[in-house]
Every structure is written in structure tokens, then in C-alpha cells.
Amino acid sequence: MSKSATILMSWEIGHGFGHVLPLLPLARAFKAQGHTVIFALRDVRGAGAMLQKEGFMVLQAPFHPDQFFPADGPQPQSMADILAIFGFTSEQHLSGMAAAWAGIFKACQPDLLVASYSPLSLLCARQQSIPSVLMALPFELPADQHPSPAWRGGVRDHTYDDQVIRTVNAVFDKVQVASVYDIFKAEPTYLMTFPELDTFAPRQAVQYCGGFFVTDVGQSPQWPAESAERPGKVFAYLNAGLPNLDQLRQAVHGSNLSFCISFRDASPALLAAWQAPNVWISAQVLRLDEGLQQCDAVLNYGSAGLVHASLLAGKPMVMHLQHFEAMLYAQQVVKLGAGLLPQPATAAAIAQALHDVMAQPSYAAAAQRFAGHYAKYSQSQAIQSIAAQALSCIRLPSSPQNF
């Protein structure tokens, strides 16, 4: 392909940076080759300004008003349950959002769609015969079967599967689906993880491309003044929406370890409450490359990027979770022996877990084994391979040749 392409990167469902930052290395690769990259994001408040500084156009993606499952209420049992609350059981809502995507496509004229947890954009691209690539985390790609299997096991009501399928088939005339999985179909499909971290492995018709994360974004980490006198350093990524924050704070303040903490969405009052002699804390994103190099262990909420980065750096983890998809990653890390998930998350249990991952060499050894196994893994090489394969899906007219 000799002409430059316009590539639209989309995200529709979920919170935070975790669905956007994995796309950034790929976007940088496209841009370096002279292609135009446009982001359409569910939530532009977090990553929008950062992407604009990188030279990318940022648009507001069509989205259904937030109706996320409350932490203390019934939880989704399948991908059909999630799609149901994001407009996929209402012809009016789905057709309205599809019209908005059609408007974005008309304005941007994309040659390629790269979707991250963005099922409606995938359907709209297929409706218009726009080539599409799916970049998914394991939780975001349902199993290829109907009805959708229950994530938590047991018997579930399949009503939403049927409603979602009927609604999609009623809204789209050129795209017809027979299962929830069909909604997510793209060619090619990449899982942004390693098989050891995919609860649903092995899978067919997908390519495992390793973990994608950005390490050079944010401010440099700092450590408490007395870190040298303490037995270890913990690099922590937290957010204000986590449950049992007071229990976590008690565990951190009561620890003899040093903590460098990035606390996303923390108010000034919350940051002040977390200040302690053994804590340096910021509401800003911190550079992973520096933090992981300097620390002995990681405290995190199970975000895919930080889990991958920590394991590839050979650092053991303690995990304090908010979402079910993070639980899937945490369970795999525990199976590897590279971390702990204290449950129930009391102050005493968290403090004990922090002590154990630092005091017992087996946790660091397991993380280092993972890092050693993938020592030859190169995110940059994986990115270049994906970029080449994605661009090969595009059919652009060649530039005139001079003879």
C-alpha cells in the first residue's frame, strides 16, 4: 500500500485508561508510517488531552448513558448482560447510536477501524464494508458459542442473548448475527495478553500478541524521604473507585514498607488522608518504566496493562480489585504464584499479603520466571507485525508510477 490511510480507533464500553492506552503504541506506529489516526472515545475526559498532545485527533464516541452494575448489586453473568445495559436490547437506542457512528464514518472516511471493547463500531464498519481489527482483552471477547456461557458458572437466564441478537438483526440489514460472539467478529482478532493470563485459553481464530502498555507516559515517581531505611519499596496504582479504601489505607500506613502511589481520580481531601511518612502520593499518572525499575513489588487494582508490565519486569503483586474482569487477571497471577489477592480485603489481610510478597522469595521468583520465559518478547515487534497485518486489510488505490 503506497498511499497514506485514515485509521479510526474506537472504544465504547468500560472505564478509565485501560481500553485506550493499549492502543497508543499501535497508533504511534501508524502515525510514524505517515497514516492519519483518529480516536473516537467513550470518555474523552481521561485520555483525550493526552492523545491530542501526541498529535492525534480525538472525537466523542457514541455511547449509552452510564448504567454500570453497582458493586453492591447483581453482577453481569455474561457478555449479553453487559450489552443489554448498553443499548443492545432497544432498537431505538441502538439505531440512534448506529446513526452517530455512521456520521463519524462519513466525516472521517476511515480506511480501517481498530476497535477496543467497541462492538457497535464493529457492526457499523461491517455494514459499510470497512475493514476492521479487534484488539481485545480476554474479558472483552465472549466465547464462540450460543447462548453466552456464564462467567461465574451455574444456570443463567438466556433472555438477553435472544433480545440482543433480535435487536442487532432488526437494526442492521447487511449484518446478521446468530450469537453475541458474532457481534465482535473482526479479521484479524488479537488478544492483548499471554495465554497464561487468559482464563478462557486456548481459543480458536485469535492471535495472542502479548500485553500492550505504555511505560513512558506521566511524571517520574518519587519515594518517601526515609525509603532507604525501610525494607522494601512498593509501587502502587490505585483509583478512587476501589472498595474498602479505608482498609487499604490502614494497611499501607501500618506497613514498614515505602510506597510510591499513583491515585487516579483522588480528590485533594483523599490525597491528604493518604499522606504518611512512608507514602509519596500523586493524582497523576506515573511512569511505569521508572516505577517498576525502582520497586520491589507492585500494589494494583488488576489493570491489564499494569499486570503485564509488572510480570514482564519480574515484579510480584498484591491486588486490590474493583471489577470482575480484574478478578480474572488476578486469579491467573495467583495461579502463577506471582502474587496475592487478599480476600476478604481487610486491613490485616492486605498488610499480611504485602509482607508475604516481600518476605517470601517464591513470589518474586515466579514473576521472574514469567519474565524469563518471555524475555524475547518485544512489544515493539508485536506492534509492527500487527500494524503490517492490519494495513494489509486495506485496499487503497496505488500512487501513479513513473516509467
Side-chain angles (χ1 to χ4, degrees):
M1 184 184 66
S2 56
K3 283 193 174 182
S4 63
T6 297
I7 300 163
L8 180 64
M9 294 189 149
S10 64
W11 162 50
E12 292 173 4
I13 299 176
H15 281 302
F17 288 82
H19 305 283
V20 180
L21 288 184
L23 297 180
L24 182 54
L26 186 57
R28 287 172 171 172
F30 287 138
K31 182 184 176 186
Q33 296 178 35
H35 304 294
T36 298
V37 179
I38 302 170
F39 280 86
L41 307 179
R42 170 187 177 81
D43 188 348
V44 299
R45 295 170 297 178
M50 178 196 69
L51 292 172
Q52 186 183 51
K53 289 178 182 178
E54 294 251 354
F56 302 113
M57 181 185 292
V58 179
L59 302 176
Q60 176 67 59
F63 69 96
H64 201 269
D66 288 347
Q67 294 184 17
F68 291 101
F69 293 86
D72 57 352
Q75 296 300 298
Q77 297 299 312
S78 74
M79 184 59 70
D81 295 356
I82 290 179
L83 295 183
I85 67 166
F86 283 98
F88 277 74
T89 56
S90 166
E91 288 187 35
Q92 179 182 359
H93 294 170
L94 196 65
S95 60
M97 292 188 293
W101 272 118
I104 289 177
F105 289 165
K106 184 176 181 179
C108 298
Q109 294 292 304
D111 301 296
L112 176 71
L113 174 75
V114 178
S116 172
Y117 213 1
S118 191
L120 184 53
S121 72
L122 286 169
L123 289 171
C124 292
R126 278 151 61 187
Q127 176 81 359
Q128 297 192 25
S129 300
I130 298 171
S132 57
V133 175
L134 176 61
M135 305 293 297
L137 298 172
F139 174 81
E140 299 165 1
L141 182 62
D144 184 6
Q145 62 185 85
H146 176 75
S148 306
W151 288 318
R152 296 173 172 84
V155 179
R156 57 172 289 268
D157 185 355
H158 301 141
T159 301
Y160 280 146
D161 285 83
D162 298 331
Q163 290 181 358
V164 167
I165 292 167
R166 282 198 304 269
T167 304
V168 168
N169 290 339
V171 170
F172 294 92
D173 56 352
K174 297 179 181 178
V175 178
Q176 296 291 283
V177 301
S179 67
V180 168
Y181 171 81
D182 286 346
I183 295 171
F184 292 81
K185 277 186 176 179
E187 182 59 41
T189 293
Y190 295 98
L191 280 183
M192 296 183 289
T193 192
F194 300 94
E196 296 91 332
L197 295 175
D198 180 14
T199 303
F200 312 109
R203 304 209 207 195
Q204 303 298 317
V206 302
Q207 300 181 50
Y208 289 93
C209 59
F212 286 2
F213 47 87
V214 177
T215 63
D216 60 353
V217 169
Q219 68 180 101
S220 292
Q222 299 182 43
W223 297 90
E226 58 183 53
S227 291
E229 290 76 42
R230 294 184 178 271
K233 294 181 177 180
V234 178
F235 186 51
Y237 253 79
L238 307 175
N239 72 65
L242 289 170
N244 301 318
L245 274 179
D246 193 58
Q247 297 290 312
L248 186 60
R249 181 184 58 80
Q250 291 178 41
V252 168
H253 286 182
S255 172
N256 65 345
L257 304 171
S258 291
F259 292 82
C260 172
I261 302 176
S262 172
F263 211 132
R264 184 166 60 83
D265 297 331
S267 65
L270 188 58
L271 291 175
W274 274 72
Q275 294 286 352
N278 67 328
V279 172
W280 182 88
I281 191 167
S282 172
Q284 303 300 313
V285 173
L286 301 180
R287 289 183 62 120
L288 291 186
D289 50 0
E290 296 177 6
L292 291 175
Q293 182 181 16
Q294 297 163 6
C295 75
D296 301 296
V298 178
L299 172 64
N300 69 74
Y301 53 90
S303 75
L306 191 53
V307 167
H308 287 122
S310 299
L311 286 174
L312 290 173
K315 305 295 182 176
M317 285 169 272
V318 172
M319 288 157 288
H320 186 83
L321 309 181
Q322 178 182 12
H323 299 299
F324 176 71
E325 54 264 43
M327 175 69 73
L328 299 179
Y329 269 115
Q331 289 172 343
Q332 297 304 107
V333 171
V334 171
K335 286 181 181 179
L336 288 171
L340 290 172
L341 175 62
Q343 290 183 313
T346 63
I350 297 167
Q352 186 64 50
L354 289 166
H355 173 271
D356 289 348
V357 297
M358 299 292 288
Q360 298 180 21
S362 63
Y363 295 103
Q368 290 162 11
R369 279 195 302 273
F370 185 96
H373 182 70
Y374 287 105
K376 294 184 179 180
Y377 169 74
S378 168
Q379 178 176 277
S380 62
Q381 290 180 6
I383 290 291
Q384 293 301 323
S385 176
I386 292 171
Q389 187 171 358
L391 291 170
S392 71
C393 301
I394 303 174
R395 298 291 180 262
L396 289 179
S398 299
S399 299
Q401 300 295 315
N402 294 320
F403 296 97

